[in-house]
Amino acid sequence: MSSPRKPADGFALATMLLLCSIWGMQQVAVKLAAPHVPPLMQMALRSGISALLVGLLCWVRGERLSSRDGTWRPGLLAGALFAAEFLFVGEGLRHTHASHMAVFLYTAPVFAALGLHWLVPSERLRSSQWAGMGVAFAGILLAFGGGWLRGGVSLEVLGGDALGLLAGLAWGATTVVVRVSALSEARPTQTLLYQLVGGFALLLPVALLTGQAGPVSLTGVAWASLLFQGIVVCFASYLVWFWLLRRYLASSLSVFSFMTPLFGVSAGVLVLHERADASFAVGAVLVLTGILVVSAPGLLRPGPPPPRVPHSSHI
């Protein structure tokens, strides 16, 4: 029997602050290394690095993959969706700001909640959550259209923003696949390995076919970015996240995870000197508010929390 989870304490909050800062920096790391390694190639390489590390961890633990547990079909689908997500991220970062990508990528909980509403009867959305959906999508419209109508955002940036939104949709779809399939009972390392291997196996050929496999210049910035993404983000932070989920209530941790886009926007402005358009800033606040209302209704009113919208096994 699993041990009971406890509410988040000071240690959990401090750890979540560290994790959110790491997750918020990943788009900035991609942009910094883009002149040396094309973004799509970075997505493929980091998936490969992380897959090797997770595979090694499974070997050390004696964990074995089996085709008899019913996970391989949803695992392949999760891997394909993972690859699609980071295809959109890599392409989007060629055209838009890292701060924009940090916000649009984290619309994933909204799309996951919508999918689960239609597929899982026990996860029907409440009226307050539908209101949160409306707030989030109003924020998306404002973030998209406000700056463009005032002439402050180009069509190229809007195209990159749209790819970021598609990345959030792919991530949300991955969460739904994990929730409604045999992957919901699989080990976290197994679910992550399906996604990482799928990402590497699909993204590398796409990078080669589209001419984005090079030129690669393995400078200090390139190495730092790849190692940060492959080891710190996709491997170490993932393991810490699931360690927290085994010890603390998921609902309390999920609320803290919404700090990630705030760190991402801040890093984009401070590190990359990206301009924070007023319409985008207001729209981002609405998006994050809507996501919070959709994902954490149990914290906004008394009573037992509703079934949790699960996180797919990547950040």
Side-chain angles (χ1 to χ4, degrees):
M1 180 181 297
S2 60
S3 59
R5 272 65 167 175
K6 59 183 179 178
D9 52 21
F11 174 79
L13 174 58
T15 306
M16 285 302 302
L17 280 171
L18 176 61
L19 291 180
C20 291
S21 65
I22 290 172
W23 299 335
M25 278 294 297
Q26 59 181 322
Q27 283 79 37
V28 174
V30 173
K31 291 284 279 191
L32 283 174
H36 313 284
V37 183
L40 193 56
M41 191 61 177
Q42 290 186 55
M43 301 294 104
L45 291 176
R46 83 174 197 169
S47 296
I49 293 170
S50 300
L52 287 174
L53 292 173
V54 175
L56 179 61
L57 178 64
C58 291
W59 178 76
V60 170
R61 290 178 171 179
E63 299 177 357
R64 299 183 183 277
L65 295 178
S66 173
S67 60
R68 299 178 181 178
D69 59 4
T71 62
W72 71 270
R73 286 189 178 88
L76 291 178
L77 179 55
L81 288 169
F82 181 89
E85 175 191 340
F86 285 101
L87 171 63
F88 294 138
V89 169
E91 285 296 290
L93 285 172
R94 296 174 62 198
H95 305 289
T96 191
H97 306 302
S99 55
H100 287 209
M101 184 62 67
V103 171
F104 289 118
L105 177 60
Y106 277 84
T107 57
V110 172
F111 293 116
L114 279 173
L116 292 171
H117 172 81
W118 296 112
L119 294 175
V120 182
S122 63
E123 307 227 21
R124 300 290 187 190
L125 293 171
R126 299 172 174 175
S127 57
S128 61
Q129 290 175 292
W130 282 114
M133 292 277 186
V135 171
F137 282 108
I140 291 171
L141 291 176
L142 181 59
F144 265 101
W148 179 67
L149 290 174
R150 293 188 295 103
V153 176
S154 67
L155 287 175
E156 179 183 7
V157 171
L158 286 179
D161 289 349
L163 290 172
L165 196 60
L166 288 174
L169 175 61
W171 184 358
T174 306
T175 301
V176 174
V177 169
V178 172
R179 172 65 176 82
V180 303
S181 70
L183 290 174
S184 63
E185 302 297 328
R187 297 184 302 273
T189 47
Q190 182 179 4
T191 304
L192 179 63
L193 193 59
Y194 276 125
Q195 294 175 76
L196 292 172
V197 171
F200 178 73
L202 295 176
L203 290 174
L204 184 60
V206 172
L208 291 170
L209 292 173
T210 59
Q212 296 187 61
V216 172
S217 178
L218 293 179
T219 62
V221 172
W223 274 114
S225 177
L226 289 173
L227 293 177
F228 171 73
Q229 295 180 64
I231 298 175
V232 178
V233 176
C234 291
F235 178 69
S237 73
Y238 159 80
L239 293 177
V240 173
W241 167 246
F242 272 93
W243 182 86
L244 289 173
L245 284 178
R246 287 195 293 269
R247 286 159 177 79
Y248 295 94
L249 294 172
S251 57
S252 60
L253 294 178
S254 297
V255 173
F256 294 131
S257 71
F258 296 119
M259 294 183 292
T260 301
L262 301 180
F263 279 109
V265 171
S266 300
V269 172
L270 295 176
V271 178
L272 299 176
H273 308 293
E274 297 175 346
R275 187 171 62 89
D277 177 81
S279 297
F280 171 76
V282 175
V285 170
L286 291 176
V287 169
L288 296 179
T289 301
I291 293 171
L292 182 61
V293 173
V294 169
S295 300
L299 297 178
L300 300 180
R301 68 183 192 180
R308 177 177 62 89
V309 176
H311 292 260
S312 58
S313 303
H314 69 280
I315 302 299

